[in-house]
Amino acid sequence: MARISYDEGTAAAFKAVREIRRDGLAEWREAVGRHLRPSPGMTLVDVGAGTGAFSSAFSDWFGIRVVAVEPSAAMREHIPRT
């Protein structure tokens, strides 16, 4: 498996081009809700969180704590802080 090294330019491009907008995640919301059955007090770990699109969506949708784990410092800089 190739290791990708994200610099700030690559991370910004990823967020601009590859990140799925929140309104395009409806099917993910339904699937995660059905399979994970999130509940108050639950903590979800998002491994390989990238720019945090799913982390912030899961937190907002289900009112749960989400810990984003992302090895790239440049990608982490794009994760919304709450």
Side-chain angles (χ1 to χ4, degrees), residues 38-65:
S39 60
M42 178 182 277
T43 298
L44 175 76
V45 178
D46 182 3
V47 177
T51 59
F54 282 96
S55 297
S56 63
F58 294 158
S59 178
D60 292 347
W61 291 338
F62 304 119
I64 59 175
R65 179 173 180 253

Side-chain angles (χ1 to χ4, degrees), residues 23-81:
D23 60 356
L25 296 176
E27 291 181 15
W28 278 99
R29 181 180 185 167
E30 190 276 324
V32 169
R34 184 176 68 243
H35 294 287
L36 183 62
R37 297 189 181 124
S39 60
M42 178 182 277
T43 298
L44 175 76
V45 178
D46 182 3
V47 177
T51 59
F54 282 96
S55 297
S56 63
F58 294 158
S59 178
D60 292 347
W61 291 338
F62 304 119
I64 59 175
R65 179 173 180 253
V66 179
V67 176
V69 177
E70 172 53 50
S72 168
M75 294 293 266
R76 286 193 308 268
E77 289 299 316
H78 292 273
I79 298 175
R81 304 298 195 263

